[in-house]
Amino acid sequence: KHIYNVDGIEDCPRNAFKDCEALDEEIVVNHRLVWVPNSATSCQIPDDVRTIDSTAFKYCEKLQTLDMPDGNVRIPEDAFEDCRYLITEIVSDQKLLCVPKNRMYYTIPDGVNEVCGKAFKHCKALQKVTIPDGVKIIPDHTFDDCISLKREIVFNHKLLCAHKTVEDFVIPDDVRDIDIRAFDNCMWLKHVTI
């Protein structure tokens, strides 16, 4: 695939190529990746890209692998939310942006201090998450799509996500707060003990 750095254009609106279904080439404007084809299964971001547009990967539901350049690339939190099959872990500036979608067990890497709210989107097979001590921020609703979890997720005394496959759930003693969607997709839940 070819990447075109459009010379002479100073700026490009975020959604300029939004409905260009037949466009099969990535587009880079002023070191900003603005478009990746919807049909892409892989993408290698060139070394001169410094920013990824929030809609660059919009509708790239088939994307599986992504090669990022070494160095500082600014990436918005929602950049990969439509990438249902992405198996590349993406960490930028100590923030976990995307978790491989095919994992059943996942450990947040050391050095990550923040988890993006969309990082676990489409992780429907995920059964267990390990959170190291260095993580300081995990937003509410981060684990909403994790419908196969076999264990609850408690972070900073807040129940973020309940065990999805039990009938009886006991809220752990260290929980002081419960996420408004902690019990989403708990289809078999019949009894909660507080």
Side-chain angles (χ1 to χ4, degrees), residues 9 29-30 39-42 48 60 92 106 114 142-143 155 170:
I9 295 178
V29 176
N30 290 328
S39 60
T41 57
S42 66
D48 67 336
C60 290
S92 178
Y106 182 74
E114 183 175 351
T142 298
F143 303 98
F155 180 74
V170 177

Side-chain angles (χ1 to χ4, degrees), residues 128-142:
K128 182 180 177 192
V129 178
T130 303
I131 303 169
D133 291 337
V135 176
K136 304 295 182 224
I137 299 170
I138 299 178
D140 292 352
H141 316 304
T142 298

Side-chain angles (χ1 to χ4, degrees), residues 40-182:
T41 57
S42 66
C43 180
Q44 182 168 358
I45 297 174
D47 292 336
D48 67 336
V49 168
R50 296 291 165 248
T51 303
I52 295 176
D53 209 62
S54 66
T55 58
F57 291 95
K58 193 80 173 158
Y59 310 114
C60 290
E61 294 182 356
K62 298 176 185 176
L63 189 69
Q64 295 179 17
T65 59
L66 181 67
D67 290 324
M68 298 284 290
D70 292 332
N72 235 355
V73 177
R74 286 186 291 139
I75 306 170
E77 287 189 8
D78 60 348
F80 306 103
E81 74 174 296
D82 284 349
C83 302
R84 296 177 181 274
Y85 302 104
L86 190 60
I87 57 173
T88 304
E89 176 182 78
I90 301 171
V91 176
S92 178
D93 197 27
Q94 299 179 322
K95 184 184 283 189
L96 178 63
L97 297 173
C98 188
V99 171
K101 306 306 178 196
N102 61 344
R103 300 271 181 92
M104 292 175 64
Y105 307 98
Y106 182 74
T107 299
I108 296 173
D110 290 332
V112 167
N113 63 25
E114 183 175 351
V115 175
C116 163
K118 306 282 185 177
F120 288 88
K121 190 164 183 182
H122 305 298
C123 291
K124 299 200 183 298
L126 191 67
Q127 295 180 14
K128 182 180 177 192
V129 178
T130 303
I131 303 169
D133 291 337
V135 176
K136 304 295 182 224
I137 299 170
I138 299 178
D140 292 352
H141 316 304
T142 298
F143 303 98
D144 286 357
D145 276 359
C146 303
I147 60 173
S148 299
L149 284 172
K150 303 275 188 222
R151 186 176 177 158
E152 70 273 356
I153 297 175
V154 176
F155 180 74
N156 286 342
H157 303 288
K158 185 171 192 172
L159 178 65
L160 293 178
C161 190
H163 185 303
K164 300 298 181 188
T165 58
V166 295
E167 290 183 6
D168 297 306
F169 185 81
V170 177
I171 296 186
D173 291 338
D174 64 334
V175 170
R176 302 288 175 257
D177 194 7
I178 298 173
D179 184 316
I180 193 169
R181 295 179 64 181

